[in-house]
Every structure is written in structure tokens, then in C-alpha cells.
Amino acid sequence: MIVSTKGRYALRVMIDLAQHTEDGYVPLKEVAERQGISEKYLEAILKLLVENGLVSGVRGKNGGYKLVRKPCEYTAWDVISVTENDFHAVACLSPGAPLCERAASCATLPMWKDFNEELKSFFTNYTIEGLADAGARRP
């Protein structure tokens, strides 16, 4: 259970877009340059964010990406939960995992469930707006 580069970069992209909301659609190239992320990798991340309704994109001369909602309406969990395929403490709690034959007698299962809820709660306490405000505004 490690936040992948995809998850970390997606948070950075969301923060970058929040810091540039007044710019309308922000070109992928500008975000890539500011964040030091390759355009190709950034395209894959933005595709995922668009598919999950966090960001909208427009092609063409004045195209780019922008947040669909206000930065205060996104949490870090919103981003991490769509970028991380398996963000659970133990395999038996992963979506689609087969039922563990020991689940009914597992003394640690309640602890792992609580841990997963604490993890989600932790990331839910951080908004994209708050993260954007905490960092220095990039030119």
C-alpha cells in the first residue's frame, strides 16, 4: 500500500489546475513544464481524471484541462481513490477479492477495516483548495 507516482502526480496536477483556475483551460504542456512530468505520462493521468469526472478537457488551439468543480469540493481521497488500483491494507479487503475462508474467525479483520476507514478519513480531510493554498503559487 504505497501511493504510486500516478497518484502523487495526479494530486500535483489537480493542485496545479486549482492554482490556475482563472486561466480557463490550461494546456497540458504548461502543466507538464510546471510540474516536471513528461507530457506522455501526464496524458495518461489526465485521461483517468477525465474518465472519472474530476477534470474536463478540450482539444484544439485553446484547449487544455480544467477542474469540473471548485477546488474546495475535491478531497485528496477523490484523486487517490481513482488513481490507485488497490489501496487497501490487506488483500481480502480489496474490491472483488474472493471471500477469505477465515474472515468469520479472523481476529485482525476488524482492525484492518478500521485502518482502511482511518486512511480514507485522513485523505478526505485534505481538499485540493487547501493543498493549493498551502503551496507557493506557481507563475
Side-chain angles (χ1 to χ4, degrees):
M1 180 183 56
I2 294 175
V3 179
S4 68
T5 56
K6 187 188 310 180
R8 294 192 317 269
Y9 289 0
L11 281 169
R12 286 172 41 192
V13 167
M14 295 291 287
I15 292 165
D16 189 287
L17 293 176
Q19 291 173 328
H20 294 89
T21 56
E22 70 280 354
D23 299 342
Y25 285 95
V26 181
L28 177 132
K29 183 175 183 163
E30 290 179 13
V31 177
E33 287 173 1
R34 283 192 295 265
Q35 295 303 317
I37 303 170
S38 79
E39 289 184 42
K40 187 169 181 83
Y41 194 38
L42 187 57
E43 283 177 14
I45 292 169
L46 282 161
K47 180 180 180 190
L48 186 60
L49 296 174
V50 168
E51 288 172 350
N52 284 278
L54 300 177
V55 170
S56 66
V58 172
R59 295 179 187 249
K61 182 181 176 195
N62 294 317
Y65 296 88
K66 71 177 185 176
L67 301 179
V68 174
R69 305 185 308 255
K70 296 176 185 174
C72 65
E73 296 174 358
Y74 295 95
T75 67
W77 180 253
D78 294 333
V79 180
I80 289 172
S81 65
V82 301
T83 58
E84 300 306 311
N85 292 332
D86 190 6
F87 206 62
H88 294 84
V90 289
C92 63
L93 294 177
S94 296
L99 182 61
C100 175
E101 61 189 46
R102 297 186 38 85
S105 63
C106 181
T108 62
L109 186 57
M111 175 187 69
W112 295 124
K113 286 180 178 179
D114 287 349
F115 178 74
N116 279 353
E117 286 305 312
E118 288 292 327
L119 191 62
K120 180 179 177 179
S121 177
F122 174 84
F123 286 116
T124 301
N125 285 321
Y126 289 88
T127 65
I128 295 301
E129 179 181 59
L131 293 168
D133 289 345
R137 185 168 186 97
R138 294 198 156 99

